[in-house]
Structures are given as structure tokens and as C-alpha cells.
């Protein structure tokens, strides 16, 4: 069994990005600029946004963090989005999810200009992705593709079982892995909460992608010998032995699953870090006008 080391890969990507920023600077070009909007005090969101901003600093991107009160109105939040849409220095921006209950998340996502939607959540980017047109790919699935590519994992003709059908992970990765090309050309089964005999479905998989949101849900006896397991889950489990009062667990029961795998992503240190790296890659693409032109 080999660990798919998201920490190592994300450091590699950041080194590559930093070199590209140096080159841009030397040529007097525009430095990529990522902005992030965070609403309220959600503890996990604070950690994710801080990591995105830190990564920008590491690679030499410009970054802006816009903090909004938890009771901001829909209208005022849409104004913040519009400001970033029209700010020529901002190449791309994200609105950290989840948003407070009184905010219409869909309206916010739709308010972001597709050419600045570096999280790849806007339906225009989703539709373009589904049709194989140039698009900002959603950051987590894009991070998974980078892991497969950089570890040269064979995907053609493989049976991939995705567990979870969310718009940001399960559904897009099922589309991307079934597309023609590499990484792709998989035969994909998309499973969810209504799937009958989920363990039986997972047992048929050469590649498993788990994105459910239930800690340690996928068990060792569900996984075929030699399978590749990608664990997307990030769950906080109360743990009094930790200073923070919790530990992070994936959606896969690592202890029982890892011995059956050829490759597996750890949590933490796997997909999460690659999601941030993918966001950086998308921001560079936005700055260079690679998807929608300059
Ligand atoms: P979600 O809650 O939007 O979707 C979960 C999906 O799991 C649903 O489609 C649901 O049908 C399915 N599901 C729920 N219970 C099930 C069951 N008993 N059997 C089969 N399927 C079931 O979740 P999401 O946003 O896709 O996130 C999934 C996990 O990935 C979470 O732990 C989240 O924190 C994590 N996540 C990590 C990253 C990252 O960067 N690594 C990014 C996004 C989400």
C-alpha cells in the first residue's frame, strides 16, 4: 500500500507556481490576485480560508480577505460579490461555504462572473466541464485528478465507484473520470444514500472516491484487493486528548481499508491540501485568461 501524499504534491505545485510568479514579475506581467469572502465565524471555514490565503502568500499571489458579519443581508452580500466582479485587479474569488441559513447560496453562486469563478461552482463552468469545454473545474475534483496524474495511476477502463453525489465533489468527479482522456476513460458508478447494497457496489471498484460526510463510513471489507481509495471526507470528531478538542477523520475507515489498497489518500494530508493547490492553479489560469480569454 502506498500513501497518496497530498502534502508533498501540493508543495510541488506551489513550488511550480512560485517559479511562474517569478517569471511573470521578471516580464512585468500581472501578479495573480485571489480574493475570498467569508461570512460569520464558522470555525472550519476560518481554517480553510486562512489556508487559502497562506498559500497565496507562499506562491507570491496577491490575496484579499473580505470578512462579513454573520447577519449580513442577501443584498449587501450580493453587493460585495458585484464589487469583486468589477474589480479589474481581482482575477478570481471564492465565497467560502457554508453560508448562514438566511442567505440564498445558489443566488450568491450565480452572482459570481464565470470568468472569476475559480471554485468552479457556477453552472456555466459546471456545464462547460460536463461538455468537455474549457472551464474552471471545481477545486476538489480537480485536486483528485492532479493526484491521479502525478502518481501516474492508470484510469483507462477502470471501474470507479463514487460515493456521494454532491454538486461540488461526487457529481463532478463522476463526470470528469468518465470523460475521454487521462485521467478519465473510467466506467463510473455514482452511488448515494438511496443506493441498494452500497458495500457490494464499492467492492466492484478499482477506484473508490468517498465524499459522504460521515466519519469512517467506508469499511475494509467493502474494498477490493489492490483498489485505489480517494478519501475526500473532512470530519471533526470530539477528542479530549487533543488541544483543539477534536481530531480530523475521513469518510474512510483508514485502519481497516488501507491494508487492502494499492494506493490511499490520508486524512489529513490528502485531498484537502490538493483542493487548495487546485484553487491556486485556477487563479493562475484566470489571471492568464486561459479559460475565457484576457
Ligand atoms: P454533501 O453533504 O453535500 O453530500 C454528501 C453525499 O453523500 C450526498 O450526495 C448523499 O447522498 C451521500 N450520502 C449521505 N449519506 C449516505 C449514505 N448513508 N450512503 C451513501 N451515500 C450517502 O457532502 P460534500 O460537500 O460532497 O462533502 C463530503 C465530504 O467531503 C465531507 O466530509 C466534507 O467535509 C468533505 N469535503 C472535503 C473537501 C476537501 O477539500 N477535501 C471539499 C469538499 C468537501
Amino acid at each position: 500500500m502506498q500513501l497518496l501524499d497530498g502534502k508533498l504534491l501540493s508543495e510541488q505545485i506551489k513550488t511550480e507556481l512560485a517559479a511562474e510568479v517569478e517569471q511573470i514579475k521578471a516580464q512585468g506581467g500581472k501578479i495573480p490576485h485571489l480574493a475570498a469572502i467569508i461570512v460569520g465565524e464558522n470555525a472550519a471555514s476560518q481554517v480553510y480560508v486562512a489556508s487559502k490565503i497562506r498559500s497565496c502568500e507562499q506562491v507570491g499571489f496577491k490575496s484579499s480577505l473580505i470578512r462579513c458579519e454573520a447577519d449580513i443581508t442577501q443584498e449587501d452580500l450580493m453587493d460585495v460579490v458585484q464589487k469583486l466582479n468589477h474589480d479589474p485587479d481581482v482575477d478570481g474569488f471564492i465565497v467560502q461555504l457554508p453560508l448562514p441559513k438566511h442567505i440564498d447560496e445558489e443566488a450568491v453562486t450565480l452572482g459570481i462572473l464565470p470568468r472569476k469563478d475559480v471554485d468552479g461552482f457556477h453552472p456555466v463552468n459546471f456545464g462547460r466541464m460536463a461538455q468537455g469545454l474549457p472551464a474552471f473545474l471545481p477545486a476538489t475534483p480537480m485536486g483528485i485528478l492532479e493526484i491521479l496524474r502525478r502518481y501516474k495511476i492508470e484510469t483507462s477502463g477502470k471501474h470507479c465507484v463514487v460515493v456521494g453525489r454532491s454538486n461540488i465533489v461526487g457529481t463532478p468527479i463522476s463526470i470528469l473520470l468518465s470523460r475521454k482522456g487521462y485521467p478519465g476513460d473510467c466506467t463510473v458508478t455514482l452511488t448515494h444514500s438511496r443506493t441498494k447494497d452500497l458495500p457490494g457496489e464499492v467492492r466492484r471498484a478499482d477506484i473508490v472516491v468517498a465524499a459522504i460526510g460521515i466519519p469512517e463510513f467506508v469499511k475494509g471489507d467493502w474494498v477490493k484487493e489492490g483498489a485505489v481509495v480517494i478519501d475526500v471526507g473532512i470530519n471533526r470528531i470530539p477528542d479530549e486528548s487533543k488541544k483543539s478538542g477534536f481530531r480530523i477523520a475521513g469518510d474512510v475507515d483508514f485502519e481497516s481499508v488501507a491494508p487492502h489498497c494499492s494506493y490511499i489518500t490520508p486524512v489529513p494530508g490528502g485531498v484537502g491540501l490538493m483542493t487548495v493547490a487546485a484553487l491556486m492553479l485556477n487563479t493562475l489560469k484566470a489571471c492568464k485568461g486561459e479559460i475565457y480569454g484576457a
Side-chain angles (χ1 to χ4, degrees):
M1 181 276 294
Q2 193 182 342
L3 280 182
L4 296 168
D5 189 341
K7 191 163 190 298
L8 182 85
L9 293 189
S10 64
E11 290 304 326
Q12 265 177 18
I13 292 171
K14 281 193 228 166
T15 304
E16 291 162 15
L17 286 171
E20 185 137 4
V21 170
E22 284 308 314
Q23 215 175 3
I24 293 172
K25 271 191 191 156
Q27 292 164 352
K30 185 186 178 306
I31 302 299
H33 182 178
L34 174 73
I37 302 174
I38 184 162
V39 182
E41 301 294 332
N42 180 301
S45 294
Q46 303 281 343
V47 173
Y48 297 148
V49 166
S51 144
K52 291 165 188 176
I53 297 294
R54 200 167 49 244
S55 295
C56 281
E57 286 163 3
Q58 284 169 350
V59 302
F61 284 7
K62 249 179 102 174
S63 62
S64 307
L65 178 56
I66 296 115
R67 292 184 178 279
C68 303
E69 297 293 333
D71 61 357
I72 188 171
T73 63
Q74 180 85 30
E75 206 186 347
D76 286 351
L77 183 56
M78 297 305 279
D79 282 348
V80 178
V81 167
Q82 284 310 324
K83 264 198 193 120
L84 294 179
N85 277 341
H86 294 115
D87 183 338
D89 196 60
V90 171
D91 299 297
F93 66 99
I94 61 159
V95 182
Q96 185 65 45
L97 302 179
L99 292 170
K101 289 218 159 39
H102 69 281
I103 300 286
D104 178 351
E105 233 169 61
E106 197 182 311
V108 173
T109 304
L110 282 169
I112 300 172
L113 279 178
R115 69 182 170 84
K116 294 200 175 189
D117 169 40
V118 284
D119 248 343
F121 291 168
H122 193 287
V124 166
N125 279 313
F126 196 99
R128 290 172 68 113
M129 170 204 72
Q131 293 196 345
L133 298 170
F136 289 117
L137 302 184
T140 301
M142 179 172 163
I144 296 172
L145 296 186
E146 278 300 316
I147 292 175
L148 296 171
R149 186 180 291 126
R150 287 177 185 247
Y151 274 90
K152 299 185 172 59
I153 289 173
E154 184 59 71
T155 57
S156 178
K158 301 291 180 190
H159 185 193
C160 174
V161 174
V162 177
V163 192
R165 59 180 161 188
S166 72
N167 284 342
I168 62 168
V169 188
T171 298
I173 193 65
S174 71
I175 294 170
L176 289 164
L177 285 175
S178 62
R179 275 194 333 195
K180 203 171 171 58
Y182 180 77
D185 285 328
C186 288
T187 304
V188 177
T189 301
L190 179 56
T191 65
H192 44 75
S193 53
R194 300 294 175 92
T195 297
K196 288 182 182 151
D197 187 21
L198 185 61
E201 293 294 343
V202 174
R203 247 173 240 129
R204 293 166 48 223
D206 303 307
I207 301 172
V208 181
V209 179
I212 313 138
I214 305 176
E216 295 161 357
F217 183 72
V218 175
K219 306 293 181 201
D221 61 353
W222 299 18
V223 175
K224 184 162 90 177
E225 289 305 315
V228 176
V229 174
I230 308 288
D231 186 354
V232 181
I234 302 180
N235 306 290
R236 289 182 171 208
I237 300 187
D239 184 341
E240 282 175 11
S241 72
K242 302 276 178 203
K243 216 170 103 189
S244 59
F246 64 85
R247 70 180 172 92
I248 300 290
D251 288 349
V252 170
D253 178 24
F254 188 90
E255 290 289 304
S256 68
V257 170
H260 300 285
C261 299
S262 54
Y263 294 93
I264 185 167
T265 57
V267 177
V271 176
L273 294 169
M274 291 304 286
T275 297
V276 180
L279 181 66
M280 300 291 122
L281 289 168
N282 273 347
T283 304
L284 179 66
K285 281 189 181 156
C287 179
K288 288 160 88 180
E290 274 184 20
I291 309 290
Y292 291 97

